[in-house]
Amino acid sequence: MILVAFALTALAAIILVALSRTHNQMNAAAVGQALVFAALAFYILFFVRVPVDTFIVGSGYFFIDHLGLLEVLVATFIFVLAAVYARGYVGNLLISHELEAGSLKLFYAAWCLLELVIVLAFFSDNLALFWIFAEMTTVISAMLVAILSAKENIDAALKYIFVASVAMIFAFVGLIFLYEITRSALGTGTLNWTVLMANASALPSTMMAAAFLFIFIGFAAKSGIFPFHTWLPEAHAKAPSAVSAVLSGVLLNVGIYGIIRVFAIARQTAAAAIVVPVILAFGIFTIAIAAFSMLPEKNLKKLVAFSSIENMGLMLTGIAVATPLAIFWVLVQVIAHALTKASLFFSAGILHRQYRNHLSADAPDDIHDVFRFQPLAAWGIVLGGLAIIGMPPFLAFFSKFFILLSLGSISPWVLALVLVLLFIAASAFGYFVIRTFGRTTPPGEPCEPVPYHTPLSMQAPIVILLALVLALGLMFPAGGYAFITQIVTELGFS
Amino acid sequence: MSDPAFFDGLVKILFVCVIVTSAYIITTRNLVSLVRVYALQSLSLVAIALSLAWYENAAILLAIALLTLVFKVIVIPYFIATVQEKIRIKRDIEFHFLSPASSLLISLALMIVVYITLSRVISPAPAEGSLFFFGAVIGISLVMMGMMVTFSRKKAITKVLGYLSMENGVLLFGLFATELPFIIEFLIVIDLVILILLTTILTVGIDSTLEDYHNRLHRFYLWEDQEESP
């Protein structure tokens, strides 16, 4: 029943968007939907016994377990804040004619649909169904990227669709493989994750490795893993900042979620000997590429996007270690990354409004006097940057620390390499902040831009997210600890 | 009539059709015929699905054949052809990295690699020249060739056709490797239709100036509403 509630809410929100006339009404519909979704997710968390096994849920197509619930909690939370943020941000886009008023309905309808599809993806038991929802998230979010009236946006969206969808085709070939494997090994073909987990040890290893590698290609592209990351910086940088936050904080998780699920099956077979080194290598390459791309980057949103790639790579290395400890902290890293990255994109969005560049979105940001014009956004970038590079006492410090620690158990050389790469990424962030935020106009000279009046709806999400990341880092709740331990057990890692 | 040898011969002829069409998609510069060839390729897939359905007496294959016929032979090619007329591009003469001849050679090599890899991976080892193994090999090769088109052509609309050709490869592979539940096949086609609608509409934007694009886009929104609602 709970899925029906999700679907009906989304439907109601889309109808409201279609009926409403002004931007504020549409935004209210989106915020309302996000709030109801978050309320439903928290309702499941507190009042329903997970794994849920009721009507529709548990029919072989959908199910709710702790991992899916965690992802939905993070996703709905970010959607609430992003929808609130969009009120001020999209309103300003309308004023500056970067978004046509005619496209507004399409924007909010796609926004509401995207949230529904993401929730359904995380609650899919059938891997083929999950594939379809994941593919739909690509299409819908690409629409959100393309909606601004600029040719670069269309370019970025098309690149996003082609790279992600082409890779996802390979994932589907992998799923067909998997189906055939189960048909020959178990008698009846199935793609149900629960069934696959229960019978994983009976699956032949060579075929399983082939299936995993194909599936990995698809979900790696979804989560921006090298060499399929090329779409990510452009799409994240060109999208409206509210959308960038969702792309980075929620959609990348879809890919990592898929990899974790399929890896949990593959590692129980002899295929682990092939699969683990591959994942580890891709993870390290991803961190390396991201770190070295961050170093010369002059565009703030691109810098933040590359930092997402780096974090995804780190999660991948953590998955490759495959000990209960590593998986636990990978999941914490998922939370930390999603929350921090959303706040960074929110702050970057404010700066983008303040110093928007009319020439080209690729040009370096012309940021100066930032603490005078936008003190909150500036501090948001500084503190968010500290949080994302893993400074204590923010949450990402603990997850990064323990992932690195478990990497050390594989080989100290891997640990040293990843540590150096993370250090490069961190220094790239610091270098950018010091270089751009230190720029001031000497007193007496005329200051060109008028301070952009940032509405409260754009400021509050940043403060909430940073406070949350800090609070979680200082005091991780015991319930959360038990919850994530439960996920690790359900994934069969203990 | 249910003669295995006849069935065998029929399907092999259809395989040749599929390969020839995909070779044409890789090399041609003429956009109008590109769409027609894609429709032809989908039609060969329909024929393969029908003959499989007749051979195995499987109703689900009939349903898949019907679905493919409606969407991939009629709706999508018609839609793309309409868009092409609107944007008035007739030829895509820009190749990114590969010239047509070298891409043909590479696709030949790809097929051999796929053949060798699959015969190693699939266990128990398939019989030499078994039709089902052949189908799987050609399916995967089609995916690879489609990917080459997607990444070696410059015009977005040609990329779309490359993607469609990849999708055909997956369908072929799925037909011969295993039997997926029909609901999954159906959802995939719906997903494909939405994706194609979006990319072709965006394509219009890439190949024209922006103000022009917005005027056209308003015309296309009508299109989109009609197509997506069912």
Side-chain angles (χ1 to χ4, degrees), chain A residues 222-427:
Chain A
K222 277 296 287 176
S223 50
I225 300 295
F226 169 84
F228 317 105
H229 68 284
T230 47
W231 62 270
L232 194 146
E234 290 193 25
H236 285 211
K238 304 283 159 50
S241 285
V243 177
S244 307
V246 168
L247 281 177
S248 190
V250 181
L251 277 173
L252 295 183
N253 290 351
V254 175
I256 285 288
Y257 170 89
I259 292 173
I260 293 179
R261 284 264 190 233
V262 183
F263 180 69
I265 300 167
R267 69 175 279 279
Q268 296 184 36
T269 67
I274 307 171
V275 163
V276 167
V278 170
I279 297 190
L280 188 64
F282 273 101
I284 293 173
F285 271 123
T286 306
I287 303 176
I289 291 290
F292 287 111
S293 314
M294 278 167 84
L295 220 41
E297 193 54 62
K298 289 193 172 66
N299 182 307
L300 177 60
K301 280 180 88 175
K302 272 198 175 167
L303 182 82
V304 179
F306 273 118
S307 150
S308 289
I309 300 180
E310 172 230 323
N311 277 281
M312 291 297 137
L314 185 69
M315 287 177 205
L316 208 56
T317 54
I319 295 171
V321 178
T323 56
L325 182 77
I327 298 296
F328 180 95
W329 289 106
V330 165
L331 293 169
V332 176
Q333 171 74 7
V334 167
I335 305 173
H337 170 255
L339 299 179
T340 319
K341 203 41 74 66
S343 88
L344 275 171
F345 272 116
F346 289 156
S347 306
I350 294 181
L351 293 186
H352 189 251
R353 292 292 81 206
Q354 173 73 58
Y355 307 98
R356 59 175 167 271
N357 198 321
H358 292 289
L359 297 174
S360 157
D362 278 326
D365 294 333
D366 181 25
I367 296 177
H368 54 85
D369 294 307
V370 68
F371 287 97
R372 199 170 85 207
F373 286 123
Q374 296 296 341
L376 182 102
W379 281 110
I381 294 283
V382 171
L383 292 179
L386 286 177
I388 203 71
I389 62 178
M391 279 291 165
F394 292 102
L395 185 57
F397 164 71
F398 298 98
S399 49
K400 285 197 172 180
F401 180 78
F402 282 104
I403 289 175
L404 285 173
L405 206 62
S406 16
L407 272 179
S409 69
I410 293 187
S411 137
W413 293 107
V414 174
L415 170 66
L417 180 63
V418 173
L419 200 58
V420 169
L421 291 173
L422 287 187
F423 184 74
I424 293 173
S427 55

Side-chain angles (χ1 to χ4, degrees), chain A residues 61 100 102-103 106 126 128-129 131-132 135-136 138-140 142-143 146-151 154-155 157-158 161-163 165-167 169-170 172-177 179-180 183-184 191 204 206-207 210 214, chain B residues 118 120-123 140 143-144 147 150-151 156 159-160 163 166-167 170-171 173-174 177-181 183-184 187-188 190-191 194-195 198-200 202-203 205-210 213-214 218 221 224 228:
Chain A
Y61 289 107
E100 302 278 322
S103 319
L106 195 66
N126 190 310
L129 205 59
W131 181 90
I132 288 163
E135 177 66 16
M136 281 191 168
T138 311
V139 177
I140 300 173
M143 194 142 71
I147 209 134
L148 294 186
S149 329
K151 206 158 187 165
I154 301 170
D155 254 332
L158 275 177
I161 293 187
F162 279 123
V163 174
S165 299
V166 162
I169 288 261
F170 283 97
F172 199 78
V173 171
L175 287 180
I176 295 177
F177 256 111
Y179 190 82
E180 178 57 22
R183 205 170 63 146
S184 54
L191 282 174
T206 331
M207 290 275 279
F214 272 122
Chain B
L118 269 191
R120 290 229 180 126
V121 167
I122 291 182
S123 61
I140 302 260
V143 173
M144 297 289 188
M147 188 177 73
T150 310
F151 288 128
K159 285 172 187 271
V160 171
Y163 180 78
M166 282 184 80
E167 221 278 336
V170 173
L171 180 70
F173 179 67
T178 188
E179 285 165 8
L180 283 175
I183 177 82
I184 300 294
L187 283 172
I188 289 170
I190 294 298
D191 172 67
I194 298 174
L195 188 134
L198 183 65
T199 41
T200 33
L202 292 181
T203 305
I206 286 296
D207 302 326
S208 53
T209 61
L210 213 69
Y213 168 62
H214 276 283
H218 286 301
Y221 274 162
E224 202 184 8
E228 267 182 17

Side-chain angles (χ1 to χ4, degrees), chain B residues 27-148:
Chain B
T27 50
T28 188
R29 290 181 164 89
N30 187 328
L31 282 178
V32 179
S33 60
L34 201 58
V35 181
R36 289 199 192 123
V37 170
Y38 167 71
L40 194 67
Q41 188 181 64
S42 310
L43 196 64
S44 343
L45 285 185
V46 172
I48 290 174
L50 280 179
S51 42
L52 267 178
W54 170 59
Y55 184 68
E56 290 184 348
N57 270 329
I60 185 174
L61 288 172
L62 272 180
I64 292 175
L66 186 68
L67 197 67
T68 315
L69 183 70
V70 171
F71 282 102
K72 293 192 188 165
V73 182
I74 300 169
V75 175
I76 292 179
Y78 177 74
F79 179 73
I80 295 182
T82 321
V83 171
Q84 272 182 353
E85 251 173 54
K86 294 254 158 54
I87 58 180
R88 297 183 204 89
I89 305 174
K90 291 283 182 303
R91 288 151 66 81
D92 178 8
I93 44 173
E94 288 163 288
F95 289 80
H96 246 326
F97 312 108
L98 299 166
S99 71
S102 54
S103 44
L104 265 187
L105 284 177
I106 289 175
S107 57
L108 269 179
L110 271 178
M111 274 180 166
I112 295 168
V113 170
V114 170
Y115 183 89
I116 294 170
T117 327
L118 269 191
S119 58
R120 290 229 180 126
V121 167
I122 291 182
S123 61
E128 275 297 315
S130 118
L131 210 52
F132 287 81
F133 177 62
F134 244 148
V137 170
I138 292 178
I140 302 260
S141 313
L142 204 55
V143 173
M144 297 289 188
M145 287 156 90
M147 188 177 73
M148 258 170 50

Side-chain angles (χ1 to χ4, degrees), chain A residues 42-57:
Chain A
F42 277 99
Y43 169 75
I44 300 174
L45 176 65
F46 289 115
F47 298 108
V48 182
R49 200 175 49 82
V50 180
V52 183
D53 212 0
T54 50
F55 172 65
I56 298 191
V57 180

